[in-house]
Amino acid sequence: ETPAPALDCGQRPPEDEHNIGIPADAGEVLAEIGDPRAVAPMLDRIDDFFGLHYSLAKMPDGVQALIDTLADPDGDFGVRFAAASRLGAATTRRDDAMQALLDIVASRTQDVLMAAVSSLGILGDGDQRAIDALKALVADEQVDEGARVTAEKRLAYISRNA
C-alpha cells in the first residue's frame, strides 16, 4: 500500500511573506490529488492553517470531515466556525454540505449561525430550500440582529436565481 501523502505541519515555520501560505499551498496540492488519506493530517492542523478548510471543501472526504466538525457541539468554536464558513465553498458533496448548513440554520445554533448563513447564501444560490430557510431566519425576531441582517443580504443574492 502506498503511504499517506505527507503534510508535515508539525513545526510551524516563522511567519513571513515567504512562507505564510506553504501549508495552505500543500493543502491545495493534496486536494488536487484527491487522496482521501490526506484528510486526517489536514484536519490535525486545521486550526493552525486557515487555508486548509478551502482545500478540504474540494475533497469528498474533506467535505464530510467539515460536516462532522460542524455537527460536534462540543468541538472547538474556531474550528466549527471555519467549517461552517468553508462548506459554502464545497465543490463536491454539495447536497450534503447544504443539508448540514440548513440544519444549523434550523437549529439556530448561535455560535456558528452567522457563518452558516453566509455559506448558505453562497452554496444555496437559486435553491428553494436555502431561500425558505433564510426567509424563516429573517422573520424570527428571537435571532440575533446580525444574523438576520446577514440572512437578508444573502437572501437577496440567492433569490435572484430562483
Side-chain angles (χ1 to χ4, degrees):
E1 181 173 293
T2 306
L7 180 64
D8 186 8
C9 296
Q11 293 185 13
R12 260 183 116 157
E15 291 182 2
D16 63 27
E17 68 276 6
H18 301 293
N19 64 16
I20 189 75
I22 291 171
D25 290 345
E28 282 296 309
V29 171
L30 291 170
E32 288 295 319
I33 293 169
D35 191 328
R37 294 172 297 170
V39 172
M42 289 168 72
L43 279 174
D44 286 344
R45 297 308 301 254
I46 201 163
D47 54 344
D48 292 332
F49 302 105
F50 196 69
L52 293 178
H53 292 87
Y54 288 110
S55 299
L56 286 168
K58 295 178 181 181
M59 305 169 67
D61 290 345
V63 170
Q64 186 59 53
L66 292 173
I67 291 168
D68 293 344
T69 297
L70 181 59
D72 180 6
D74 298 322
D76 178 77
F77 162 75
V79 175
R80 290 181 68 235
F81 188 89
S85 297
R86 296 308 163 255
L87 281 173
T91 60
T92 182
R93 298 190 63 181
R94 292 174 60 89
D95 197 54
D96 294 334
M98 172 79 81
Q99 190 57 57
L101 295 168
L102 289 168
D103 290 347
I104 292 295
V105 170
S107 71
R108 306 294 196 260
T109 305
Q110 193 62 40
D111 63 337
V112 293
L113 184 59
M114 291 280 286
V117 166
S118 291
S119 282
L120 195 57
I122 297 167
L123 192 63
D125 194 11
D127 188 301
Q128 193 60 48
R129 297 172 299 164
I131 292 168
D132 293 344
L134 293 175
K135 282 182 180 178
L137 189 68
V138 168
D140 187 346
E141 293 184 10
Q142 300 299 313
V143 173
D144 174 73
E145 183 179 351
R148 288 197 341 259
V149 168
T150 300
E152 280 182 291
K153 290 178 182 176
R154 292 300 183 178
L155 184 58
Y157 176 77
I158 67 173
S159 296
R160 76 192 192 300
N161 291 326

